[in-house]
């Protein structure tokens, strides 16, 4: 299943601020639990996200979130983004849109590979970089939704599977029955 190829991991936003070149973008530093071959912590990842004006910076810092860590890095207005944050949206356009990050329980360690309920453990590709591999993420993304309990889910072939951590399901603050 495509979903098992995407590296959904727990991470903590360490800092967040405006992008110097783009009003709609923010830059975050993210601890995704990365370690080098010697087991030592790596530098935090840089994430460029289109969340400016959607979530206040002070609500981002120290937040435990879901990040995708195996997408090909992308340059956004001159700054390389090496992970992606997952957020739910009520689907409104422009300034009316309500966006909420997917929340992970605080007890979950950074870097934990998240799973899908009643599914084999994920075995993510090292990097989704070819055109075919990037289509994997596009197909998975189209099947992610928040259910009417505020839980993040993957809906495929009529089966709804919660996105799970070692401490329970991934949730959003208040949005229900909407897109991720």
């Amino acid at each position: 299943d495509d979903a098992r190829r995407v590296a959904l991991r727990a991470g903590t936003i360490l800092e967040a601020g405006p992008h110097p070149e783009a009003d709609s973008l923010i830059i975050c530093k993210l601890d995704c639990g990365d370690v080098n071959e010697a087991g030592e912590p790596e530098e935090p990842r840089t994430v460029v996200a289109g969340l400016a004006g959607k979530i206040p910076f002070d609500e981002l810092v120290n937040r435990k979130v879901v990040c995708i860590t195996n997408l090909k890095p992308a340059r956004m207005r001159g700054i390389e983004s090496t992970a992606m944050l997952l957020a739910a949206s009520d689907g409104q356009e422009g300034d009316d849109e309500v966006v909420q990050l997917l929340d992970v329980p605080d007890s979950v360690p950074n870097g934990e590979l998240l799973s899908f309920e009643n599914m084999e453990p994920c075995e993510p590709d090292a990097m989704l970089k070819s055109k075919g591999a990037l289509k994997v993420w596009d197909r998975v993304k189209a099947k992610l939704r928040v259910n009417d309990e505020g839980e993040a889910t993957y809906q495929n072939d009529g089966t709804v599977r919660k996105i799970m951590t070692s401490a329970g399901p991934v949730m959003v603050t208040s949005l229900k029955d909407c897109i991720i």
Side-chain angles (χ1 to χ4, degrees), residues 28-44:
C28 299
K29 290 287 185 198
L30 193 63
D31 178 352
C32 298
D34 296 308
V35 293
N36 63 19
E37 289 175 7
E40 298 156 341
E42 295 270 359
E43 289 292 308

Side-chain angles (χ1 to χ4, degrees), residues 26 51-60 63 87-88 99-101:
I26 66 168
L51 295 173
K54 304 288 183 192
I55 303 172
F57 292 127
D58 62 352
E59 289 181 23
L60 294 171
R63 189 144 180 190
V99 175
Q100 295 176 351
L101 289 172

Side-chain angles (χ1 to χ4, degrees), residues 7-9 30 32 45-49 65-71 81-87 137 141:
L8 295 179
R9 294 191 185 275
L30 193 63
C32 298
R45 292 180 184 234
T46 298
V47 177
V48 180
V65 295
V66 178
C67 49
I68 303 174
T69 58
N70 66 339
L71 294 176
S81 185
T82 56
M84 179 186 286
L85 301 175
L86 282 192
W137 166 235
K141 181 171 58 175

Side-chain angles (χ1 to χ4, degrees), residues 13 49-51 53-56 59-60 63-66 85-92 96-104 145-147 149-152 170-180:
I13 299 173
L51 295 173
K54 304 288 183 192
I55 303 172
E59 289 181 23
L60 294 171
R63 189 144 180 190
K64 185 83 70 160
V65 295
V66 178
L85 301 175
L86 282 192
S89 165
D90 67 355
Q92 299 287 321
D96 293 333
E97 182 185 28
V98 175
V99 175
Q100 295 176 351
L101 289 172
L102 301 192
D103 287 319
V104 170
R145 283 195 68 80
V146 174
N147 66 15
E149 303 284 317
E151 299 164 326
V170 171
M171 306 281 294
V172 293
T173 311
S174 63
L175 288 174
K176 311 270 191 254
D177 194 28
C178 66
I179 59 174
I180 293 176

